[in-house]
Amino acid sequence: MAQEMPRVTAGRGGVRAPVSMRSRLVLEVASELAGTAAWPYKQSRVQLRAQGDDEWHTCWFASDSPVSVDAIANREADIAICNPGAVLALAYHGKGPYTKAYDYFRAIMVLPQFDQMGFAVAGTTGLNSLADLRDKKFPLRLSLRGQKDHSVHLIVNEVLKAYGFTLDDITKWGGKVTYDEGTPGTGDRMNMGERGEIDAIFDEGMPTYATRALDLGWRFLGVDEPQLKQLEGMGLRRVAITREEYPKLPADVWTIDFSGWPVFTRTDVPDWIVAGFCEGLEKRKDRIPWYGEGPMRLDQFCKDTREGPLPIPLHPAAERFWHERGYI
C-alpha cells in the first residue's frame, strides 16, 4: 500500500502549520541568487527533515551532469536532474560507462529542451566524417567544454568509442585537446576558431554556435549508420541537424540526441515524497519561467516528446499525479 503524505493543518491566519519561516527565508534567497547572472553558484542541493531530527530524510539535487546518476544510485539524493536524457538511458540499461543496469530508476518529469550533439570542424581540415578523422589519424586541435563533469564528455567518448578511437588517440596523432570555458557560443571558443587557434569543437548547445560555425566555413560531421545503430542499441537516440534549422548546411546531418533534462528518482522513494514534489511544482509553476517562454506547461513536461525524451518509465506516484490532474 502506498504511503500517504503526512497531513498539515491550518494555523493562525490560515497559514498551514508547521511552517518553518527560517527554511522559507533560506530557500527564497537561494532561489533569487541562483537566478541572478552575477551570482556564480548555480547548482543546488536541498536537504529536508523534521524540526529536531538528527538525520536528513530526503535530498533533492539540481544537477546538470552525470554525477546525479551516482547520487541517486548511492542514495545521497532521492530526486535529481540529469542532462541530457541520453545519459539516463545509458545508466538505465547499464551501457557505456555504467557496468550495471540502474533499472530501478524512475522518472518524475522532464524539462523539455531540444538539442543535438555537434561535431564541428573547420573546412580547412578536409575532414568529411568521423571515420575520416580516424582513418587519416588527423592531428585535430579540438576544443571541449571546460566543465570536466559535463555530460558532453560522456557522449563524445561513447561516439568515438563506437568508431574505435579515443581522445587520447587524437593527441597521439599530433593533435591537441583543450578544455575551454563556456559553451561555444557564450565563451571564447568560436573566437578561437576564427583566429585559427583550434579547428574543431565537439559540443551540444547547437543554437549557440552552429550558424556562426557555418558562416566561418566549418562543417558538422555526421555519425554513420553502423555507429548510429550501435549507439541506439545502448539506448541513445539518433537525431538530425537539418537544413531547415541551419540553411547553410549542405545537407542534413545525423548525430546523437542531446535533448531533455529528466527529473528522476528510485522505485524505493516513498510515493508521498514523489507526489509532494509534483504538487509543489504544480503550485509554483507560474514562478518558474522556462527559457523566456512563460510559465511551465506541465502537460509538456510529463510525456515522452522530441524536445523532452523520457528514456525511463515514470514513477507510479508521478504517473498517478499527472494523470489525476489531467496532464496525461
Side-chain angles (χ1 to χ4, degrees), residues 138-193:
F138 191 88
L140 201 65
R141 295 173 299 163
L142 170 63
S143 170
L144 292 174
R145 186 79 64 96
Q147 182 183 338
K148 291 292 186 71
D149 69 349
H150 196 277
S151 299
V152 71
H153 303 297
L154 187 156
I155 300 299
V156 167
N157 288 337
E158 292 306 317
V159 172
L160 298 188
K161 190 186 300 182
Y163 279 89
F165 71 98
T166 67
L167 293 171
D168 286 340
D169 288 321
I170 292 176
T171 60
K172 290 176 184 176
W173 301 334
K176 184 179 181 182
V177 179
T178 61
Y179 294 85
D180 302 307
E181 185 177 353
T183 67
T186 59
D188 192 43
R189 295 164 68 193
M190 279 310 308
N191 294 331
M192 293 166 64

Side-chain angles (χ1 to χ4, degrees), residues 98-110:
Y98 302 105
T99 57
K100 60 173 289 186
Y102 296 112
D103 53 4
Y104 53 86
F105 282 179
R106 292 295 182 269
I108 296 176
M109 56 170 287
V110 57

Side-chain angles (χ1 to χ4, degrees), residues 1 38 45 67 76 100 117 124 136 215 225 232 249 251 258 274 284 320 322 326:
M1 187 179 207
R45 181 190 291 262
V67 298
E76 297 170 7
K100 60 173 289 186
M117 186 67 219
T124 54
K136 294 179 179 179
D215 286 342
E225 186 63 23
E232 284 178 318
L249 278 174
F258 212 96
V274 174
R284 293 296 182 107
R320 282 195 301 273
W322 302 128

Side-chain angles (χ1 to χ4, degrees), residues 213-271:
L214 292 167
D215 286 342
L216 292 175
W218 285 38
R219 61 184 60 140
F220 286 90
L221 306 181
V223 180
D224 299 297
E225 186 63 23
Q227 285 75 26
L228 282 172
K229 288 182 177 178
Q230 179 179 337
L231 294 164
E232 284 178 318
M234 298 166 60
L236 302 181
R237 300 187 185 191
R238 71 172 71 197
V239 69
I241 306 170
T242 68
R243 293 191 67 194
E244 182 179 357
E245 299 169 280
Y246 306 106
K248 288 195 174 182
L249 278 174
D252 292 354
V253 175
W254 285 103
T255 187
I256 296 301
D257 184 66
F258 212 96
S259 300
W261 299 26
V263 179
F264 70 111
T265 184
R266 300 181 306 274
T267 53
D268 67 345
V269 172
D271 287 4

